[in-house]
Amino acid sequence: GTADDVAALADVPVDAVRGRLPEVRRRGLVRTTDDDRFAVSAETAAALRADASGDPDAAALADRHAAFVRRTVAALAGPGRDGPTGAASVAMLERLDDVEAALDHDVEHDPARALFVAGRTWPAYRRIGRAATLLRYVAVLLDAHGNDLSPGAQAAAFATRGSLETIAGRWTEAKASFEAALAIHAEGVDVTAEARVHLNLAQVEASLADLDAAEARLRRGRDLAEAHDLPWVAAACTGNLGHVLRGRGDRAGAAAAYREAIAALKPLNDAYSVAGLRIAALSVAASDGAPADVIREVHTLDLDLGSVDGVERRSLRRPFRAMRDAVAASGHAMAAELLDRIARVHHLG
């Protein structure tokens, strides 16, 4: 965090924090970053937590720490509720120990705030393969305290549970969770959040092979997103529409949707989503694309992958391998060789 963050957490003047920074930096207890932020090592953090537990003001410190974590994850997640990407994703991952400490505190003292933290941090848990841990928190809290929440908070909690159930492959339960969120949003609670729920529910419906429902829902979600200036959600709906059209066998429609979504996401600096859609587009182009076009797309994918954080890039391994096999099976030998090199460079093999 910054010196201001520490001052707020410790309830001391910020000048006092800045006055001690050179000493603690010299001792190796903190490291600084280019943007004038600093972080403590995991060992130092553990020692600080142990020391704080014996402090007479430990309860007040825990309250301030939980409030600090809520502010931090809200800022990292961003206003669009789409989860952190790129550098923000890495920053979120670095704070998971703090997140879990805040969750433990809020579960006991303020379940609504615990559900808020879970709603802003689940993408980070997904990226490190620990979504099941967070799902246990959310499921218990929602069952025990869901009726005590405001309509907006309750809808958000249902959507968070649905996202975590989706990661776990529990499609039927995820569908019920997202439908519960939409039932609340139908009363006009939060139209912007409703658009995102349509996107997520459509992905579940597609996984359940209900492509008609998925297509209709994606178009509805895109309309809402465009009407309320949510460009990321609109682009995500378009990209997922490409997946649905591809599943229907409409390769031309899928290719057009992928191009539109990539063009919309590029200005939003979402390199991870762009690379994922580029991989899907190459899978379509493999069967009917001209060799020169396929090779050009492979080179573009190479550039896109270079902008994706390593943690996120690893989650692209499975679709990348499937696409590479499709390109090779379609006789694009040169493109397949280039993809083999890309796999080595970006650790996707």
Side-chain angles (χ1 to χ4, degrees):
T2 63
D4 289 327
D5 293 331
V6 174
L9 180 58
D11 196 22
V12 298
V14 68
D15 288 343
V17 175
R18 292 196 178 104
R20 298 300 298 274
L21 273 177
E23 179 185 349
V24 295
R25 187 184 294 116
R26 179 179 58 79
R27 293 185 181 186
L29 297 175
V30 303
R31 57 181 174 80
T32 55
T33 62
D34 293 337
D35 57 354
D36 198 31
R37 290 179 173 272
F38 57 91
V40 300
S41 68
E43 294 78 10
T44 303
L48 288 171
R49 279 193 291 269
D51 183 61
S53 65
D55 192 293
D57 297 322
L61 180 61
D63 287 341
R64 292 197 298 273
H65 178 258
F68 165 73
V69 170
R70 287 193 295 273
R71 292 194 303 272
T72 301
V73 299
L76 288 173
R81 301 180 186 175
D82 298 321
T85 58
S89 175
V90 175
M92 184 81 81
L93 293 172
E94 290 176 344
R95 288 166 169 79
L96 280 189
D97 282 347
D98 282 330
V99 167
E100 292 189 344
L103 277 173
D104 286 337
H105 173 272
D106 285 343
V107 163
E108 181 178 353
H109 296 93
D110 195 332
R113 287 177 170 172
L115 287 167
F116 170 85
V117 172
R120 297 306 175 101
T121 56
W122 69 262
Y125 278 84
R126 175 193 63 197
R127 289 182 179 118
I128 61 170
R130 291 180 54 197
T133 299
L134 194 60
L135 178 56
R136 285 193 289 272
Y137 274 108
V138 172
V140 170
L141 286 170
L142 193 49
D143 288 344
H145 303 284
N147 291 333
D148 301 328
L149 301 175
S150 68
Q154 189 178 44
F158 277 126
T160 298
R161 188 175 72 183
S163 296
L164 293 166
E165 289 165 340
T166 299
I167 296 165
R170 292 159 57 173
W171 309 117
T172 302
E173 293 160 88
K175 184 172 185 290
S177 293
F178 287 133
E179 287 175 341
L182 282 179
I184 297 172
H185 287 311
E187 302 298 322
V189 171
D190 187 342
V191 178
T192 59
E194 180 184 356
R196 179 58 188 257
V197 177
H198 278 295
L199 167 64
N200 291 336
L201 180 52
Q203 292 170 329
V204 171
E205 289 168 334
S207 296
L208 291 169
D210 191 349
L211 297 184
D212 289 339
E215 180 175 353
R217 195 170 299 285
L218 286 168
R219 295 187 186 279
R220 168 64 174 156
R222 184 171 62 182
D223 288 346
L224 281 173
E226 290 175 345
H228 293 85
D229 193 25
L230 300 169
W232 189 94
V233 178
C237 286
T238 301
N240 278 274
L241 181 60
H243 299 331
V244 171
L245 294 174
R246 180 181 167 196
R248 289 185 179 284
D250 182 0
R251 305 180 71 81
Y258 291 145
R259 286 194 298 271
E260 181 182 345
I262 289 170
L265 287 167
K266 276 284 191 180
L268 303 178
N269 298 316
D270 185 355
Y272 172 76
S273 295
V274 167
L277 290 172
R278 190 83 67 187
I279 289 169
L282 265 167
S283 297
V284 171
S287 62
D288 48 22
D293 293 337
V294 173
I295 289 173
R296 183 173 59 252
E297 287 299 307
V298 169
H299 283 300
T300 305
L301 173 62
D302 188 13
L303 295 174
D304 290 335
L305 286 169
S307 300
V308 180
D309 174 73
V311 174
E312 294 181 311
R313 193 186 307 136
R314 285 194 289 274
S315 69
L316 296 172
R317 282 176 176 170
R318 183 177 296 178
F320 179 90
R321 291 168 182 167
M323 176 272 293
R324 182 183 56 185
D325 291 346
V327 168
S330 298
H332 296 283
M334 185 175 294
E337 289 179 9
L338 288 172
L339 288 169
D340 285 337
R341 180 187 64 79
I342 290 171
R344 292 191 296 273
V345 170
H346 297 294
H347 308 290
L348 292 168

